[in-house]
Amino acid sequence: MKIIADENMPYVDALFGDLGEIEYVNGRNLTAEQVSDADVLLVRSVTKVNAALLDNAQKLKFVGSATIGTDHVAVDYLAARKIPFTNAPGCNATAVGEYAFIAMLELAQRFGENLQGKVVGIVGAGNTGTAAAKCLEAYGLKVMLCDPVKAEQGDSREFVSLDSLIAQADIISLHVPITKGGEHKTWYLFDEARLNQLRPNTWLLNCCRGEVIDNRALIAFKQQRDDVKLVLDVWEGEPNPMAELVALAEFATPHIAGYSLEGKARGTFMLYQKLCEVLGLEANKSLTSLLPPFQFNQVYRQNELSEGQLLTLSRLVYDLRDDDRKFRGCFATTTGFDQMRKNHTYRREYSAITLKSETLATPADHSMLRTLGFN
Ligand SMILES: NC(=O)C1=CN([C@@H]2O[C@H](COP(=O)(O)OP(=O)(O)OC[C@H]3O[C@@H](n4cnc5c(N)ncnc54)[C@H](O)[C@@H]3O)[C@@H](O)[C@H]2O)C=CC1
Ligand SMILES: O=C(O)C(=O)[C@H](O)COP(=O)(O)O
């Protein structure tokens, strides 16, 4: 069996090595010829999976995308050809949630403010939005959710309109899929008019898809509104973000908000499980055996935890300042954006650290850190 896999998908050898011969490819430049004799295709978000790519791949038995988003996949086309497809919903939700939370801690420190006490608006209350809300609520922040789709589906949480969220939130974090049509379309959800609604000193984070914000309008807006602070992980025109916009963001990264080792491993593992099911095989490998040990795997705390100390602890698993610095140094080169993503293999989730509870001064801190995800 021939398995074609994106070269940026980790743990493919460990999970799929027994199932067939693996060929690694550059997912962004994948051609129809390369996949013409594939039995299995494993992609990430940069591969357009459609008729043009797959019409000649007549042996294809399975397509998997180790991502949450499916906007790069013609799912109707696969269904019409009866090719089983799976993505990996939720695989990197914790990573995105922690990225957003840690970015907010970084902004607070940079501007000499307290994160605690702020009101955060989450737009899109699915897997990643809920993961961000979990961190924020664990830390005692008030969180408002806007998700008209979930509200219509009868989700029991409390939802507000986008206008109401913008009017009340100090921080807004975007967690919607990209959709180009329908009542709740998200393409340019934040256009010039919406941006002009932002309250003074709002922090705006985008870790979902670049096109959820009109990037040109954002440049024009930010040039007039320096009070608004931006954290941008996703961009219009990836892998070539607009240089003016990178310069205007407080923290800028190359679409890696979901790139924890845990998140990547979960993504590949979910494809492995699904392929085994499709092939009628037992999935006998384990997820935990894939992850390397973490250098800071235990923390001892003796005093009450300040916000600065929480940020220091967070930087053990993810130092956003490093990625921001690297990104500014490489994004303008031809392959800088993709190379940085390819080499991004160092980030962990809070769960990689075990708390030594007996030395914690306050049970409240312990409980907060546990809810954040520490072990
Ligand atoms: N930066 C990164 O590395 C990553 C980016 N993503 C992106 O984030 C998106 C969201 O991921 P998940 O939370 O896992 O997806 P999800 O499908 O679990 O949640 C998305 C939520 O957005 C809601 N929604 C749709 N239209 C809306 C609108 N107009 N206003 C408010 N809410 C709306 C949906 O009802 C849903 O609850 C993905 O589709 C993907 O594009 C996901 C993972 C990593
Ligand atoms: O899951 C998604 O959706 C994402 O945006 C991915 O985390 C992006 O990673 P790649 O699939 O492009 O490596």
Side-chain angles (χ1 to χ4, degrees), residues 198-203 221-222 224-229:
L198 295 181
R199 298 166 62 209
N201 305 312
T202 300
W203 298 349
F221 170 77
K222 176 69 178 136
Q224 305 302 317
R225 288 285 305 274
D226 196 39
D227 57 298
V228 168
K229 304 300 176 203

mmCIF file of all heavy atoms in Angstrom, residues 198-203 221-222 224-229:
data_model
loop_
_atom_site.group_PDB
_atom_site.id
_atom_site.type_symbol
_atom_site.label_atom_id
_atom_site.label_comp_id
_atom_site.label_asym_id
_atom_site.label_seq_id
_atom_site.Cartn_x
_atom_site.Cartn_y
_atom_site.Cartn_z
ATOM 1 N N LEU A 198 -14.485 48.795 17.398
ATOM 2 C CA LEU A 198 -13.691 48.339 18.554
ATOM 3 C C LEU A 198 -13.520 49.456 19.575
ATOM 4 O O LEU A 198 -13.233 50.603 19.225
ATOM 5 C CB LEU A 198 -12.301 47.851 18.107
ATOM 6 C CG LEU A 198 -12.242 46.603 17.222
ATOM 7 C CD1 LEU A 198 -10.802 46.252 16.885
ATOM 8 C CD2 LEU A 198 -12.928 45.424 17.907
ATOM 9 N N ARG A 199 -13.678 49.086 20.835
ATOM 10 C CA ARG A 199 -13.516 50.069 21.917
ATOM 11 C C ARG A 199 -12.054 50.484 22.027
ATOM 12 O O ARG A 199 -11.154 49.736 21.625
ATOM 13 C CB ARG A 199 -13.929 49.429 23.251
ATOM 14 C CG ARG A 199 -15.366 49.001 23.304
ATOM 15 C CD ARG A 199 -15.584 48.102 24.488
ATOM 16 N NE ARG A 199 -15.308 48.797 25.740
ATOM 17 C CZ ARG A 199 -14.872 48.200 26.857
ATOM 18 N NH1 ARG A 199 -14.642 46.918 26.878
ATOM 19 N NH2 ARG A 199 -14.683 48.886 27.951
ATOM 20 N N PRO A 200 -11.796 51.644 22.626
ATOM 21 C CA PRO A 200 -10.408 52.037 22.856
ATOM 22 C C PRO A 200 -9.666 50.956 23.631
ATOM 23 O O PRO A 200 -10.227 50.336 24.540
ATOM 24 C CB PRO A 200 -10.530 53.318 23.693
ATOM 25 C CG PRO A 200 -11.898 53.839 23.397
ATOM 26 C CD PRO A 200 -12.759 52.654 23.101
ATOM 27 N N ASN A 201 -8.421 50.712 23.252
ATOM 28 C CA ASN A 201 -7.515 49.783 23.944
ATOM 29 C C ASN A 201 -7.893 48.309 23.834
ATOM 30 O O ASN A 201 -7.422 47.487 24.633
ATOM 31 C CB ASN A 201 -7.367 50.160 25.428
ATOM 32 C CG ASN A 201 -6.934 51.595 25.575
ATOM 33 O OD1 ASN A 201 -5.992 52.028 24.906
ATOM 34 N ND2 ASN A 201 -7.633 52.358 26.401
ATOM 35 N N THR A 202 -8.746 47.976 22.885
ATOM 36 C CA THR A 202 -9.088 46.549 22.702
ATOM 37 C C THR A 202 -7.863 45.769 22.240
ATOM 38 O O THR A 202 -7.041 46.272 21.478
ATOM 39 C CB THR A 202 -10.197 46.398 21.625
ATOM 40 O OG1 THR A 202 -11.345 47.120 22.049
ATOM 41 C CG2 THR A 202 -10.561 44.935 21.397
ATOM 42 N N TRP A 203 -7.748 44.532 22.734
ATOM 43 C CA TRP A 203 -6.745 43.596 22.198
ATOM 44 C C TRP A 203 -7.498 42.626 21.286
ATOM 45 O O TRP A 203 -8.485 42.019 21.704
ATOM 46 C CB TRP A 203 -6.075 42.796 23.313
ATOM 47 C CG TRP A 203 -5.315 43.624 24.311
ATOM 48 C CD1 TRP A 203 -4.993 44.950 24.216
ATOM 49 C CD2 TRP A 203 -4.795 43.174 25.564
ATOM 50 N NE1 TRP A 203 -4.299 45.356 25.329
ATOM 51 C CE2 TRP A 203 -4.160 44.276 26.169
ATOM 52 C CE3 TRP A 203 -4.794 41.953 26.219
ATOM 53 C CZ2 TRP A 203 -3.539 44.183 27.421
ATOM 54 C CZ3 TRP A 203 -4.177 41.852 27.459
ATOM 55 C CH2 TRP A 203 -3.547 42.963 28.048
ATOM 56 N N PHE A 221 -6.802 50.676 9.593
ATOM 57 C CA PHE A 221 -7.386 50.934 10.911
ATOM 58 C C PHE A 221 -6.300 51.098 11.965
ATOM 59 O O PHE A 221 -6.271 52.052 12.736
ATOM 60 C CB PHE A 221 -8.308 49.757 11.268
ATOM 61 C CG PHE A 221 -8.800 49.768 12.683
ATOM 62 C CD1 PHE A 221 -9.818 50.623 13.073
ATOM 63 C CD2 PHE A 221 -8.232 48.927 13.641
ATOM 64 C CE1 PHE A 221 -10.264 50.648 14.388
ATOM 65 C CE2 PHE A 221 -8.670 48.943 14.949
ATOM 66 C CZ PHE A 221 -9.690 49.802 15.323
ATOM 67 N N LYS A 222 -5.370 50.173 11.968
ATOM 68 C CA LYS A 222 -4.327 50.157 13.015
ATOM 69 C C LYS A 222 -3.404 51.382 12.878
ATOM 70 O O LYS A 222 -2.877 51.886 13.869
ATOM 71 C CB LYS A 222 -3.591 48.820 12.900
ATOM 72 C CG LYS A 222 -2.425 48.594 13.806
ATOM 73 C CD LYS A 222 -2.774 48.426 15.279
ATOM 74 C CE LYS A 222 -1.501 48.152 16.061
ATOM 75 N NZ LYS A 222 -1.315 48.823 17.277
ATOM 76 N N GLN A 224 -4.351 54.239 12.287
ATOM 77 C CA GLN A 224 -5.034 55.346 12.987
ATOM 78 C C GLN A 224 -5.273 55.044 14.465
ATOM 79 O O GLN A 224 -5.555 55.943 15.240
ATOM 80 C CB GLN A 224 -6.429 55.599 12.357
ATOM 81 C CG GLN A 224 -6.420 55.866 10.875
ATOM 82 C CD GLN A 224 -5.554 57.059 10.513
ATOM 83 O OE1 GLN A 224 -5.593 58.085 11.199
ATOM 84 N NE2 GLN A 224 -4.729 56.907 9.489
ATOM 85 N N ARG A 225 -5.229 53.750 14.835
ATOM 86 C CA ARG A 225 -5.667 53.348 16.181
ATOM 87 C C ARG A 225 -4.572 52.532 16.870
ATOM 88 O O ARG A 225 -4.683 51.320 17.047
ATOM 89 C CB ARG A 225 -6.959 52.518 16.071
ATOM 90 C CG ARG A 225 -8.191 53.295 15.691
ATOM 91 C CD ARG A 225 -8.741 54.127 16.845
ATOM 92 N NE ARG A 225 -8.997 53.298 18.015
ATOM 93 C CZ ARG A 225 -10.138 52.624 18.233
ATOM 94 N NH1 ARG A 225 -11.129 52.700 17.378
ATOM 95 N NH2 ARG A 225 -10.286 51.888 19.327
ATOM 96 N N ASP A 226 -3.540 53.235 17.287
ATOM 97 C CA ASP A 226 -2.428 52.535 17.931
ATOM 98 C C ASP A 226 -2.809 51.973 19.302
ATOM 99 O O ASP A 226 -2.110 51.130 19.859
ATOM 100 C CB ASP A 226 -1.222 53.482 18.045
ATOM 101 C CG ASP A 226 0.043 52.709 18.341
ATOM 102 O OD1 ASP A 226 0.189 51.607 17.765
ATOM 103 O OD2 ASP A 226 0.839 53.163 19.182
ATOM 104 N N ASP A 227 -3.933 52.460 19.851
ATOM 105 C CA ASP A 227 -4.387 51.946 21.150
ATOM 106 C C ASP A 227 -4.791 50.469 21.052
ATOM 107 O O ASP A 227 -4.679 49.723 22.024
ATOM 108 C CB ASP A 227 -5.593 52.768 21.649
ATOM 109 C CG ASP A 227 -6.745 52.756 20.653
ATOM 110 O OD1 ASP A 227 -6.562 53.243 19.516
ATOM 111 O OD2 ASP A 227 -7.823 52.222 20.995
ATOM 112 N N VAL A 228 -5.246 50.049 19.869
ATOM 113 C CA VAL A 228 -5.662 48.649 19.703
ATOM 114 C C VAL A 228 -4.411 47.790 19.499
ATOM 115 O O VAL A 228 -3.501 48.167 18.763
ATOM 116 C CB VAL A 228 -6.618 48.526 18.480
ATOM 117 C CG1 VAL A 228 -6.843 47.072 18.095
ATOM 118 C CG2 VAL A 228 -7.946 49.203 18.795
ATOM 119 N N LYS A 229 -4.347 46.652 20.204
ATOM 120 C CA LYS A 229 -3.169 45.777 20.108
ATOM 121 C C LYS A 229 -3.563 44.473 19.406
ATOM 122 O O LYS A 229 -4.632 43.914 19.678
ATOM 123 C CB LYS A 229 -2.613 45.457 21.504
ATOM 124 C CG LYS A 229 -2.271 46.699 22.331
ATOM 125 C CD LYS A 229 -1.231 47.584 21.667
ATOM 126 C CE LYS A 229 -0.980 48.867 22.455
ATOM 127 N NZ LYS A 229 -0.428 49.955 21.643
#
